[in-house]
Amino acid sequence: MKRLLFITLLLSGLAWAGTTPARWWTYALDGTHNAVFSSSFPAVSWTFAVPGATSLDRTIVQNTTSIRDILGFPIGVAVVHGVVFAPNDNGFLYAVDARTGKLLWSANLENQIMTTPIVVQVDQREVVFVGAGNSDFDYTDAVRFGSGGQVIRGTDVSGIAALDARTGALLWFHPTRGEDMPTPVFVEGRLIFGNGDGHIYALDPLSGKTLWKTKITSFVSMSSATPADGGRIVVMGGTHPSRIYAVDSRTGKLLWSYHPQGIFSSSGGDGTWASYGEMVIGQIEIRTPHQAKGTSSAEELALDARTGKLLWSRILGSGKVPPRNKDGVPDIADGVIYTGCPVTHTEYALDLKTGAILWERHLPGIMKAAPLAIGQWVIQPMGNGMIVTLNRTTGAIAHIYHNPHGGFGPQNGVVIGSTYFIGSNTGFLEAIPLAKLLPSS
Protein backbone atom coordinates (compact mmCIF):
# COMPACT_ATOMS: atom_id res chain seq x y z
CA MET A 1 0.00 0.00 0.00
CA LYS A 2 2.80 2.43 0.92
CA ARG A 3 4.63 1.60 -2.32
CA LEU A 4 1.45 2.25 -4.32
CA LEU A 5 0.93 5.59 -2.54
CA PHE A 6 4.53 6.60 -3.27
CA ILE A 7 4.17 5.74 -6.96
CA THR A 8 0.88 7.67 -7.15
CA LEU A 9 2.46 10.78 -5.59
CA LEU A 10 5.50 10.50 -7.84
CA LEU A 11 3.40 10.26 -11.01
CA SER A 12 1.23 13.13 -9.82
CA GLY A 13 4.30 15.28 -9.25
CA LEU A 14 5.71 14.44 -12.67
CA ALA A 15 2.39 15.33 -14.29
CA TRP A 16 2.37 18.78 -12.71
CA ALA A 17 6.07 19.25 -13.50
CA GLY A 18 5.15 19.23 -17.19
CA THR A 19 2.96 22.30 -16.70
CA THR A 20 5.89 24.46 -15.54
CA PRO A 21 8.99 25.57 -17.50
CA ALA A 22 11.74 23.05 -18.27
CA ARG A 23 14.47 25.63 -17.64
CA TRP A 24 14.99 29.16 -16.36
CA TRP A 25 17.96 30.65 -18.16
CA THR A 26 17.76 34.38 -17.39
CA TYR A 27 16.16 37.00 -15.15
CA ALA A 28 12.33 36.97 -15.41
CA LEU A 29 12.18 33.96 -17.74
CA ASP A 30 13.46 35.61 -20.96
CA GLY A 31 14.95 38.84 -22.32
CA THR A 32 11.58 40.59 -22.53
CA HIS A 33 11.08 40.05 -18.77
CA ASN A 34 7.43 39.15 -19.29
CA ALA A 35 7.46 36.25 -16.83
CA VAL A 36 4.32 34.49 -18.00
CA PHE A 37 4.22 30.76 -18.78
CA SER A 38 0.89 29.65 -20.24
CA SER A 39 -0.06 26.13 -19.19
CA SER A 40 -2.69 24.08 -17.38
CA PHE A 41 -0.99 24.58 -14.02
CA PRO A 42 -3.91 25.11 -11.61
CA ALA A 43 -4.76 27.99 -9.33
CA VAL A 44 -3.10 27.21 -6.00
CA SER A 45 -2.87 29.23 -2.81
CA TRP A 46 -0.20 28.86 -0.16
CA THR A 47 2.29 30.85 1.90
CA PHE A 48 5.77 29.71 2.86
CA ALA A 49 7.45 31.69 5.66
CA VAL A 50 11.22 31.66 6.19
CA PRO A 51 12.47 31.10 9.76
CA GLY A 52 11.94 34.26 11.78
CA ALA A 53 9.33 35.81 9.48
CA THR A 54 6.39 35.05 11.77
CA SER A 55 8.26 35.76 15.01
CA LEU A 56 10.17 38.93 14.07
CA ASP A 57 9.96 41.45 16.90
CA ARG A 58 9.03 44.76 15.26
CA THR A 59 9.88 46.66 18.44
CA ILE A 60 13.51 45.61 17.89
CA VAL A 61 13.70 45.69 14.07
CA GLN A 62 11.64 48.71 13.11
CA ASN A 63 13.21 49.80 9.83
CA THR A 64 11.59 48.15 6.79
CA THR A 65 14.89 48.08 4.89
CA SER A 66 16.53 46.25 7.79
CA ILE A 67 13.71 43.70 7.80
CA ARG A 68 14.20 43.05 4.08
CA ASP A 69 17.96 42.69 4.52
CA ILE A 70 17.43 40.13 7.28
CA LEU A 71 14.82 37.85 5.74
CA GLY A 72 13.31 39.35 2.59
CA PHE A 73 12.96 37.75 -0.83
CA PRO A 74 14.90 40.32 -2.88
CA ILE A 75 14.25 39.19 -6.47
CA GLY A 76 11.89 37.12 -8.59
CA VAL A 77 11.72 33.34 -8.31
CA ALA A 78 12.37 30.62 -10.88
CA VAL A 79 9.80 27.86 -11.39
CA VAL A 80 11.09 24.70 -13.10
CA HIS A 81 9.70 21.16 -13.24
CA GLY A 82 7.16 21.81 -10.50
CA VAL A 83 9.59 23.47 -8.07
CA VAL A 84 9.80 27.12 -6.99
CA PHE A 85 13.42 28.17 -6.42
CA ALA A 86 13.46 31.25 -4.20
CA PRO A 87 16.57 33.15 -2.99
CA ASN A 88 16.52 35.03 0.29
CA ASP A 89 18.55 37.77 1.95
CA ASN A 90 19.09 35.45 4.91
CA GLY A 91 21.59 33.53 2.77
CA PHE A 92 19.39 30.54 1.97
CA LEU A 93 18.07 29.27 -1.32
CA TYR A 94 14.73 27.52 -0.87
CA ALA A 95 13.24 24.84 -3.11
CA VAL A 96 9.48 24.64 -2.58
CA ASP A 97 6.84 22.42 -4.17
CA ALA A 98 4.92 24.68 -6.55
CA ARG A 99 1.59 22.93 -5.88
CA THR A 100 1.68 22.70 -2.08
CA GLY A 101 4.24 25.21 -0.78
CA LYS A 102 6.03 22.38 1.03
CA LEU A 103 9.77 22.88 1.56
CA LEU A 104 11.79 20.33 -0.41
CA TRP A 105 15.27 21.52 0.58
CA SER A 106 17.27 24.61 1.50
CA ALA A 107 20.92 25.54 1.02
CA ASN A 108 22.97 28.17 2.85
CA LEU A 109 25.55 30.25 0.93
CA GLU A 110 26.61 32.29 3.98
CA ASN A 111 25.72 35.69 2.48
CA GLN A 112 22.73 37.38 0.91
CA ILE A 113 21.36 35.79 -2.28
CA MET A 114 19.89 38.40 -4.62
CA THR A 115 19.99 36.55 -7.95
CA THR A 116 17.06 34.89 -9.63
CA PRO A 117 18.09 31.21 -9.73
CA ILE A 118 19.23 29.95 -13.12
CA VAL A 119 18.00 26.38 -13.60
CA VAL A 120 19.26 24.39 -16.60
CA GLN A 121 20.41 20.93 -17.64
CA VAL A 122 24.17 20.42 -17.44
CA ASP A 123 25.60 17.06 -18.48
CA GLN A 124 22.24 15.30 -17.87
CA ARG A 125 21.82 16.84 -14.42
CA GLU A 126 19.47 19.68 -13.52
CA VAL A 127 21.57 22.38 -11.89
CA VAL A 128 20.66 25.60 -10.04
CA PHE A 129 23.07 28.55 -10.20
CA VAL A 130 22.88 31.46 -7.75
CA GLY A 131 25.20 34.25 -6.66
CA ALA A 132 26.09 35.33 -3.14
CA GLY A 133 27.10 38.82 -2.07
CA ASN A 134 26.08 42.04 -0.37
CA SER A 135 26.06 45.75 -1.15
CA ASP A 136 28.67 46.77 1.43
CA PHE A 137 32.12 48.29 0.94
CA ASP A 138 35.03 47.64 3.24
CA TYR A 139 36.69 50.74 4.70
CA THR A 140 39.44 50.99 2.09
CA ASP A 141 37.04 50.79 -0.83
CA ALA A 142 34.65 53.23 0.81
CA VAL A 143 37.49 55.76 0.94
CA ARG A 144 38.41 55.04 -2.68
CA PHE A 145 34.78 55.46 -3.72
CA GLY A 146 34.65 58.88 -2.12
CA SER A 147 37.81 59.98 -3.92
CA GLY A 148 36.76 58.63 -7.31
CA GLY A 149 39.11 55.63 -7.46
CA GLN A 150 38.22 52.15 -8.69
CA VAL A 151 36.52 50.09 -6.00
CA ILE A 152 35.40 46.57 -5.18
CA ARG A 153 31.89 46.26 -3.85
CA GLY A 154 30.92 43.40 -1.56
CA THR A 155 32.24 42.02 1.70
CA ASP A 156 32.40 38.58 3.34
CA VAL A 157 31.48 35.58 1.15
CA SER A 158 31.00 36.36 -2.56
CA GLY A 159 30.75 33.88 -5.39
CA ILE A 160 28.66 31.77 -7.75
CA ALA A 161 27.31 28.42 -6.54
CA ALA A 162 26.09 25.43 -8.53
CA LEU A 163 23.68 23.12 -6.71
CA ASP A 164 21.88 19.91 -7.58
CA ALA A 165 18.27 20.94 -8.31
CA ARG A 166 16.85 17.75 -6.82
CA THR A 167 18.74 17.75 -3.51
CA GLY A 168 20.37 21.14 -3.00
CA ALA A 169 23.80 19.52 -2.73
CA LEU A 170 26.67 21.87 -3.59
CA LEU A 171 28.38 20.84 -6.84
CA TRP A 172 30.92 23.65 -6.94
CA PHE A 173 31.53 27.18 -5.69
CA HIS A 174 33.43 29.84 -7.63
CA PRO A 175 34.63 32.58 -5.22
CA THR A 176 34.90 36.13 -6.51
CA ARG A 177 36.50 39.32 -5.16
CA GLY A 178 33.32 41.37 -5.53
CA GLU A 179 29.65 40.74 -4.84
CA ASP A 180 27.48 38.59 -7.10
CA MET A 181 24.09 40.25 -6.66
CA PRO A 182 23.03 40.53 -10.34
CA THR A 183 21.36 37.52 -11.96
CA PRO A 184 23.56 35.65 -14.47
CA VAL A 185 22.41 34.48 -17.88
CA PHE A 186 23.01 31.03 -19.37
CA VAL A 187 23.83 31.37 -23.08
CA GLU A 188 26.23 29.71 -25.52
CA GLY A 189 26.91 27.03 -22.90
CA ARG A 190 28.29 29.66 -20.53
CA LEU A 191 27.15 31.27 -17.29
CA ILE A 192 27.72 35.02 -17.74
CA PHE A 193 27.45 37.67 -15.02
CA GLY A 194 28.68 41.06 -13.88
CA ASN A 195 30.56 41.38 -10.62
CA GLY A 196 31.36 43.93 -7.94
CA ASP A 197 35.06 43.89 -8.85
CA GLY A 198 34.72 45.69 -12.20
CA HIS A 199 34.64 42.63 -14.48
CA ILE A 200 32.20 40.53 -16.48
CA TYR A 201 32.79 36.78 -16.24
CA ALA A 202 31.86 33.61 -18.10
CA LEU A 203 32.08 30.30 -16.24
CA ASP A 204 32.03 26.69 -17.39
CA PRO A 205 28.72 25.41 -15.96
CA LEU A 206 30.13 21.93 -15.36
CA SER A 207 33.31 22.85 -13.48
CA GLY A 208 32.88 26.49 -12.44
CA LYS A 209 36.19 27.42 -14.11
CA THR A 210 36.60 30.83 -15.73
CA LEU A 211 36.20 30.75 -19.52
CA TRP A 212 36.76 34.47 -20.04
CA LYS A 213 36.98 37.65 -17.98
CA THR A 214 36.42 41.18 -19.32
CA LYS A 215 37.40 44.33 -17.49
CA ILE A 216 34.84 47.15 -17.47
CA THR A 217 36.03 49.07 -14.33
CA SER A 218 32.45 49.79 -13.21
CA PHE A 219 31.03 47.59 -10.48
CA VAL A 220 27.74 45.85 -11.31
CA SER A 221 25.28 45.92 -8.44
CA MET A 222 21.75 44.78 -9.40
CA SER A 223 21.90 45.06 -13.21
CA SER A 224 21.29 41.49 -14.29
CA ALA A 225 22.86 40.08 -17.46
CA THR A 226 20.36 40.46 -20.32
CA PRO A 227 20.63 38.35 -23.49
CA ALA A 228 20.12 40.14 -26.82
CA ASP A 229 20.40 39.34 -30.51
CA GLY A 230 19.55 35.68 -29.97
CA GLY A 231 21.91 35.37 -26.99
CA ARG A 232 24.99 36.38 -28.97
CA ILE A 233 25.21 39.62 -26.99
CA VAL A 234 24.90 40.18 -23.23
CA VAL A 235 24.06 43.65 -21.88
CA MET A 236 24.24 45.06 -18.36
CA GLY A 237 24.85 48.35 -16.54
CA GLY A 238 27.60 49.38 -14.15
CA THR A 239 28.26 52.11 -11.59
CA HIS A 240 31.38 54.18 -10.89
CA PRO A 241 31.60 55.01 -13.74
CA SER A 242 27.94 54.76 -14.75
CA ARG A 243 27.88 53.08 -18.16
CA ILE A 244 25.96 50.43 -20.09
CA TYR A 245 28.06 47.56 -21.49
CA ALA A 246 27.68 44.88 -24.15
CA VAL A 247 29.92 41.84 -24.56
CA ASP A 248 30.13 38.98 -27.04
CA SER A 249 28.77 36.00 -25.12
CA ARG A 250 31.18 33.54 -26.78
CA THR A 251 34.45 35.46 -26.50
CA GLY A 252 33.84 38.13 -23.88
CA LYS A 253 34.93 40.85 -26.29
CA LEU A 254 33.67 44.25 -25.19
CA LEU A 255 31.47 45.36 -28.08
CA TRP A 256 30.56 48.81 -26.81
CA SER A 257 29.91 50.95 -23.75
CA TYR A 258 27.47 53.82 -23.50
CA HIS A 259 27.43 56.71 -21.02
CA PRO A 260 23.96 58.32 -20.84
CA GLN A 261 24.11 62.08 -20.48
CA GLY A 262 23.16 63.29 -17.02
CA ILE A 263 23.03 59.81 -15.44
CA PHE A 264 22.82 60.20 -11.68
CA SER A 265 24.01 58.36 -8.59
CA SER A 266 24.16 54.53 -8.80
CA SER A 267 21.57 54.37 -11.56
CA GLY A 268 23.80 52.68 -14.15
CA GLY A 269 24.38 49.56 -12.10
CA ASP A 270 20.94 49.37 -10.47
CA GLY A 271 18.60 48.74 -13.38
CA THR A 272 18.19 45.57 -15.42
CA TRP A 273 17.72 46.03 -19.15
CA ALA A 274 15.16 44.21 -21.29
CA SER A 275 15.69 43.05 -24.86
CA TYR A 276 13.70 42.44 -28.00
CA GLY A 277 15.71 41.17 -30.94
CA GLU A 278 18.52 43.66 -31.54
CA MET A 279 17.06 46.31 -29.21
CA VAL A 280 17.73 46.76 -25.49
CA ILE A 281 15.54 48.93 -23.29
CA GLY A 282 16.42 50.38 -19.90
CA GLN A 283 15.46 53.02 -17.37
CA ILE A 284 17.96 55.37 -15.75
CA GLU A 285 17.84 58.20 -13.24
CA ILE A 286 19.22 61.54 -14.45
CA ARG A 287 19.78 64.93 -12.87
CA THR A 288 20.42 68.40 -14.26
CA PRO A 289 22.29 71.21 -12.45
CA HIS A 290 19.05 73.17 -12.20
CA GLN A 291 17.03 70.52 -10.36
CA ALA A 292 16.24 71.06 -6.69
CA LYS A 293 18.21 69.12 -4.11
CA GLY A 294 16.71 65.72 -3.40
CA THR A 295 14.98 65.49 -6.78
CA SER A 296 15.82 63.75 -10.03
CA SER A 297 14.25 62.66 -13.33
CA ALA A 298 13.74 59.30 -14.97
CA GLU A 299 14.54 58.47 -18.58
CA GLU A 300 13.68 55.42 -20.69
CA LEU A 301 16.27 54.52 -23.34
CA ALA A 302 16.46 52.21 -26.36
CA LEU A 303 19.88 51.16 -27.67
CA ASP A 304 20.99 49.06 -30.61
CA ALA A 305 22.38 45.91 -28.98
CA ARG A 306 24.97 45.43 -31.75
CA THR A 307 26.40 48.95 -31.84
CA GLY A 308 25.32 50.76 -28.66
CA LYS A 309 23.73 53.50 -30.77
CA LEU A 310 20.93 55.44 -29.10
CA LEU A 311 17.67 54.68 -30.93
CA TRP A 312 15.41 56.88 -28.82
CA SER A 313 15.05 58.34 -25.34
CA ARG A 314 12.05 59.55 -23.40
CA ILE A 315 11.94 61.63 -20.21
CA LEU A 316 9.28 60.07 -17.98
CA GLY A 317 9.12 62.84 -15.40
CA SER A 318 10.68 64.13 -12.19
CA GLY A 319 10.26 63.52 -8.48
CA LYS A 320 11.97 62.71 -5.22
CA VAL A 321 15.21 60.71 -5.43
CA PRO A 322 14.24 57.11 -4.58
CA PRO A 323 16.20 55.07 -2.03
CA ARG A 324 18.33 52.17 -3.35
CA ASN A 325 17.53 50.33 -6.63
CA LYS A 326 16.66 53.56 -8.38
CA ASP A 327 15.34 52.29 -11.70
CA GLY A 328 12.24 50.42 -12.75
CA VAL A 329 12.70 47.26 -14.83
CA PRO A 330 10.90 47.24 -18.21
CA ASP A 331 8.66 44.48 -19.50
CA ILE A 332 8.09 44.05 -23.24
CA ALA A 333 4.95 42.45 -24.66
CA ASP A 334 3.36 42.74 -28.13
CA GLY A 335 5.39 45.76 -29.20
CA VAL A 336 4.75 47.73 -26.01
CA ILE A 337 7.03 48.50 -23.06
CA TYR A 338 5.35 48.43 -19.65
CA THR A 339 7.29 49.85 -16.74
CA GLY A 340 6.91 51.43 -13.35
CA CYS A 341 9.04 54.39 -12.33
CA PRO A 342 10.37 54.80 -8.75
CA VAL A 343 11.03 58.52 -9.36
CA THR A 344 7.53 59.50 -10.50
CA HIS A 345 5.49 56.70 -8.84
CA THR A 346 3.81 56.20 -12.21
CA GLU A 347 3.17 53.23 -14.51
CA TYR A 348 3.86 53.76 -18.22
CA ALA A 349 3.15 52.09 -21.54
CA LEU A 350 5.54 53.12 -24.32
CA ASP A 351 5.72 52.20 -28.00
CA LEU A 352 8.70 49.87 -28.47
CA LYS A 353 9.78 51.35 -31.81
CA THR A 354 9.47 55.06 -31.03
CA GLY A 355 9.36 55.46 -27.25
CA ALA A 356 6.12 57.41 -27.51
CA ILE A 357 4.16 57.30 -24.25
CA LEU A 358 0.86 55.52 -24.94
CA TRP A 359 -0.52 56.07 -21.46
CA GLU A 360 0.64 56.84 -17.92
CA ARG A 361 -1.05 56.23 -14.59
CA HIS A 362 0.05 57.59 -11.22
CA LEU A 363 -0.03 54.87 -8.56
CA PRO A 364 -0.27 55.13 -4.76
CA GLY A 365 3.31 54.16 -3.93
CA ILE A 366 6.73 53.27 -5.26
CA MET A 367 7.49 50.41 -7.61
CA LYS A 368 10.80 48.92 -8.75
CA ALA A 369 10.07 45.44 -10.10
CA ALA A 370 9.23 44.52 -13.67
CA PRO A 371 5.47 44.27 -14.19
CA LEU A 372 4.02 41.54 -16.37
CA ALA A 373 1.42 41.61 -19.11
CA ILE A 374 -1.17 38.87 -19.42
CA GLY A 375 -4.32 38.99 -21.48
CA GLN A 376 -5.70 42.52 -21.33
CA TRP A 377 -3.97 43.31 -18.03
CA VAL A 378 -0.68 44.63 -16.62
CA ILE A 379 0.17 43.49 -13.09
CA GLN A 380 2.56 45.63 -11.02
CA PRO A 381 3.75 44.76 -7.46
CA MET A 382 4.28 47.80 -5.21
CA GLY A 383 6.49 48.69 -2.27
CA ASN A 384 3.47 49.18 0.00
CA GLY A 385 2.19 45.64 -0.54
CA MET A 386 -0.38 46.44 -3.20
CA ILE A 387 -0.45 44.43 -6.41
CA VAL A 388 -2.05 46.76 -8.92
CA THR A 389 -3.72 45.50 -12.09
CA LEU A 390 -4.18 47.96 -14.95
CA ASN A 391 -5.91 47.80 -18.30
CA ARG A 392 -3.23 47.30 -21.01
CA THR A 393 -5.01 49.53 -23.49
CA THR A 394 -5.98 52.51 -21.34
CA GLY A 395 -3.88 52.26 -18.17
CA ALA A 396 -7.00 52.44 -16.03
CA ILE A 397 -6.66 50.76 -12.63
CA ALA A 398 -8.84 47.66 -12.80
CA HIS A 399 -8.08 46.01 -9.46
CA ILE A 400 -5.89 46.37 -6.36
CA TYR A 401 -4.90 43.35 -4.29
CA HIS A 402 -3.72 44.15 -0.76
CA ASN A 403 -1.05 41.65 0.21
CA PRO A 404 -1.22 40.77 3.94
CA HIS A 405 2.45 39.76 4.08
CA GLY A 406 4.38 42.93 3.30
CA GLY A 407 5.55 44.88 0.28
CA PHE A 408 7.76 44.30 -2.74
CA GLY A 409 11.01 45.82 -3.98
CA PRO A 410 12.87 44.65 -7.09
CA GLN A 411 11.21 41.20 -6.97
CA ASN A 412 9.01 40.59 -10.00
CA GLY A 413 5.95 38.37 -10.04
CA VAL A 414 5.82 35.17 -12.10
CA VAL A 415 2.68 33.65 -13.63
CA ILE A 416 2.60 29.92 -14.22
CA GLY A 417 -0.76 28.79 -15.61
CA SER A 418 -3.37 30.13 -13.20
CA THR A 419 -1.05 31.05 -10.31
CA TYR A 420 1.05 34.15 -9.50
CA PHE A 421 4.25 33.50 -7.51
CA ILE A 422 6.10 36.23 -5.60
CA GLY A 423 8.16 36.69 -2.43
CA SER A 424 7.72 39.65 -0.08
CA ASN A 425 10.20 41.94 1.69
CA THR A 426 9.17 40.41 5.01
CA GLY A 427 10.08 36.79 4.32
CA PHE A 428 6.89 35.30 2.89
CA LEU A 429 6.87 33.37 -0.39
CA GLU A 430 3.37 33.27 -1.84
CA ALA A 431 1.33 31.45 -4.45
CA ILE A 432 -1.70 33.57 -5.28
CA PRO A 433 -4.50 32.43 -7.59
CA LEU A 434 -4.29 34.69 -10.62
CA ALA A 435 -8.03 35.32 -10.47
CA LYS A 436 -7.53 37.16 -7.15
CA LEU A 437 -5.42 39.77 -8.96
CA LEU A 438 -7.89 40.36 -11.79
CA PRO A 439 -11.18 42.24 -11.81
CA SER A 440 -14.24 40.05 -11.39
CA SER A 441 -16.07 39.43 -14.63
Side-chain angles (χ1 to χ4, degrees):
M1 179 64 72
K2 288 183 178 180
R3 179 178 175 81
L4 179 61
L5 178 60
F6 172 78
I7 293 174
T8 301
L9 291 172
L10 178 62
L11 291 176
S12 174
L14 291 174
W16 286 120
T19 64
T20 59
R23 68 172 192 153
W24 205 280
W25 61 289
T26 189
Y27 170 94
L29 191 57
D30 65 27
T32 67
H33 303 332
N34 197 45
V36 176
F37 184 80
S38 299
S39 75
S40 60
F41 188 86
V44 298
S45 178
W46 50 256
T47 301
F48 169 81
V50 303
T54 58
S55 60
L56 184 72
D57 192 333
R58 296 296 183 93
T59 61
I60 298 175
V61 188
Q62 299 180 12
N63 184 276
T64 54
T65 300
S66 297
I67 294 171
R68 194 195 82 173
D69 287 347
I70 292 171
L71 44 71
F73 288 97
I75 201 73
V77 302
V79 185
V80 174
H81 286 147
V83 179
V84 180
F85 297 93
N88 195 274
D89 273 337
N90 65 7
F92 280 85
L93 173 66
Y94 296 97
V96 176
D97 187 299
R99 294 168 301 139
T100 66
K102 179 182 178 181
L103 178 66
L104 302 175
W105 55 259
S106 63
N108 187 5
L109 295 190
E110 309 296 346
N111 205 343
Q112 292 174 294
I113 306 176
M114 303 190 200
T115 64
T116 293
I118 301 300
V119 189
V120 294
Q121 288 285 329
V122 179
D123 195 30
Q124 298 183 338
R125 185 205 300 260
E126 193 164 79
V127 180
V128 186
F129 300 97
V130 286
N134 60 39
S135 59
D136 298 334
F137 294 97
D138 66 21
Y139 178 78
T140 302
D141 282 300
V143 172
R144 287 199 190 109
F145 185 82
S147 61
Q150 184 178 355
V151 300
I152 295 174
R153 189 185 198 190
T155 61
D156 303 319
V157 176
S158 296
I160 301 292
L163 303 106
D164 187 298
R166 290 174 60 87
T167 67
L170 182 67
L171 303 176
W172 54 256
F173 185 79
H174 180 97
T176 57
R177 293 183 67 197
E179 45 76 15
D180 292 293
M181 299 190 298
T183 300
V185 62
F186 185 80
V187 289
E188 299 289 343
R190 296 158 172 80
L191 192 71
I192 300 173
F193 59 96
N195 183 259
D197 70 355
H199 292 85
I200 300 173
Y201 291 85
L203 302 184
D204 183 318
L206 186 59
S207 66
K209 293 181 179 179
T210 302
L211 297 175
W212 53 253
K213 173 182 175 182
T214 301
K215 184 175 182 178
I216 58 172
T217 305
S218 306
F219 64 82
V220 184
S221 51
M222 286 298 287
S223 186
S224 297
T226 296
D229 193 25
R232 289 176 286 274
I233 297 171
V234 173
V235 175
M236 66 190 71
T239 296
H240 196 71
S242 288
R243 302 189 75 90
I244 313 305
Y245 299 93
V247 294
D248 185 298
S249 58
R250 288 162 290 188
T251 66
K253 178 183 178 181
L254 182 64
L255 300 177
W256 52 262
S257 69
Y258 177 80
H259 177 72
Q261 186 175 1
I263 192 167
F264 175 62
S265 187
S266 62
S267 174
D270 280 348
T272 294
W273 288 63
S275 68
Y276 185 84
E278 298 171 14
M279 293 178 66
V280 287
I281 312 295
Q283 187 180 124
I284 61 170
E285 184 184 18
I286 61 173
R287 193 152 185 261
T288 67
H290 306 293
Q291 285 186 282
K293 184 178 180 180
T295 65
S296 61
S297 299
E299 182 178 15
E300 202 80 10
L301 303 172
L303 304 177
D304 186 307
R306 293 185 173 182
T307 65
K309 178 184 177 181
L310 178 67
L311 301 176
W312 55 257
S313 67
R314 186 70 55 192
I315 301 297
L316 301 179
S318 302
K320 185 179 178 181
V321 174
R324 306 173 88 178
N325 307 110
K326 299 178 180 298
D327 310 312
V329 179
D331 163 53
I332 303 172
D334 302 320
V336 178
I337 302 162
Y338 300 99
T339 186
C341 178
V343 173
T344 65
H345 296 196
T346 299
E347 192 80 12
Y348 298 88
L350 299 92
D351 183 272
L352 176 63
K353 291 183 178 180
T354 66
I357 296 176
L358 305 176
W359 54 255
E360 57 186 275
R361 180 68 58 185
H362 188 77
L363 298 182
I366 194 169
M367 72 293 281
K368 298 182 179 182
L372 60 82
I374 182 168
Q376 61 182 312
W377 314 112
V378 176
I379 302 175
Q380 177 70 67
M382 307 279 293
N384 57 14
M386 294 179 180
I387 301 178
V388 180
T389 300
L390 304 97
N391 183 290
R392 281 178 69 176
T393 304
T394 66
I397 295 175
H399 186 266
I400 297 179
Y401 175 85
H402 296 273
N403 181 42
H405 299 298
F408 311 100
Q411 59 270 52
N412 59 286
V414 171
V415 169
I416 306 295
S418 298
T419 299
Y420 181 89
F421 295 94
I422 194 168
S424 76
N425 290 341
T426 54
F428 294 89
L429 177 63
E430 300 173 68
I432 305 170
L434 182 59
K436 286 191 173 183
L437 306 183
L438 305 180
S440 56
S441 56

